[in-house]
Amino acid sequence: MTISVQGRNRRAELGDFLKARRAQVSPADVGLPPGPRRRTPGLRREEVAQLAGVGVTWYTWLEQGRPINVSSQVLDAVARTLGLSPPERTHLYRLTESTPARSEPEACADESTLVEILMALDPLPAVISNTRFDILKVNEPFRNLFHDWHSLPCVHKNLLWCIVTEPRARQSLLNYDTEVPYLVARLRSAYGEHLGDPLWEEDIARLCNVSPEFEELWSRHEVAACQPRPRHVVHPIAGELHLTVTEMALPAYPDLRLFVETPADAQTRTRLPLATQPPPPNA
């Protein structure tokens, strides 16, 4: 049987994902004795197979990305054994192509309507991006809030690129160490639907090349569900701001996301207008 390049990439990604998750489950987590000294962390393949009630050979082939039949019952057993979270379970199903393809909904709005909605959110900072975090549209409060983030011209216009490659980001984003892993995990969640896409593959390769930090986070194969999250930033005029970022899907546009930032406390609500007004003419 001939397997396409995309199919091979998908199976390689599946194998790496299973190995990464297996390495994070200790024998004690699943009620097994520590046993003799282990060469690698986590569970052995035969232990996963035993606990999931599947054959060792079958599970080995699954992890090796071989073209084998996979039932939802078996995948659920493997997911339970590895303690996968709901987004990780969804990722597993996508990689094994065991979930039915989602039908594309009919568009219920055009681009001009989306832009009008985005602008109407003023004074709240808001941005529309795709699932690769390319910035498609921003409103004025968002543009003004992050006006001073770049020491160099913003070439990539991508939320993740702006954070991991811009030296000022770590100074301006106070919760950098939690925000970046979350964004990389969200990117990995979306990647399962874009395996083999040249734009995705090239973008990820470039990011790995320019950012060892991103490369290390990407190698973890962590996936994350959409959830409201804190964003703590320092603005040169408004000072310290505490915001809540809410990500919203746009059903008419499956690959687009709307991000809205709202004040998380009374002080930020008072200071936010100072950060989202137009910068001085010479800034």
Side-chain angles (χ1 to χ4, degrees), residues 203-278:
D203 208 38
I204 290 167
R206 284 196 297 267
L207 260 175
C208 287
N209 186 53
V210 301
S211 173
E213 178 183 29
F214 172 84
E215 184 177 28
E216 192 278 324
L217 290 170
W218 186 251
S219 70
R220 296 180 189 177
H221 289 265
E222 293 177 346
V223 294
C226 163
Q227 58 184 0
R229 66 187 189 278
R231 176 170 288 164
H232 308 305
V233 302
V234 175
H235 187 270
I237 297 175
E240 193 169 310
L241 301 172
H242 302 280
L243 302 157
T244 299
V245 182
T246 302
E247 174 186 343
M248 289 173 276
L250 303 172
Y253 304 91
D255 198 46
L256 299 188
R257 298 292 182 267
L258 171 64
F259 296 89
V260 183
E261 311 204 12
T262 53
D265 55 40
Q267 186 177 63
T268 297
R269 191 172 297 277
T270 300
R271 292 179 175 180
L272 190 58
L274 297 174
T276 56
Q277 63 187 5

Side-chain angles (χ1 to χ4, degrees), residues 5 8 20 34 44 50 67 80-81 88 93 141 154 157-158 167 207 230 233 247:
V5 173
R8 287 196 295 270
R44 299 186 178 99
Q50 178 186 358
R80 284 193 300 271
T81 300
E88 289 171 336
Y93 267 77
C154 182
K157 299 189 183 302
N158 179 286
L207 260 175
V233 302
E247 174 186 343

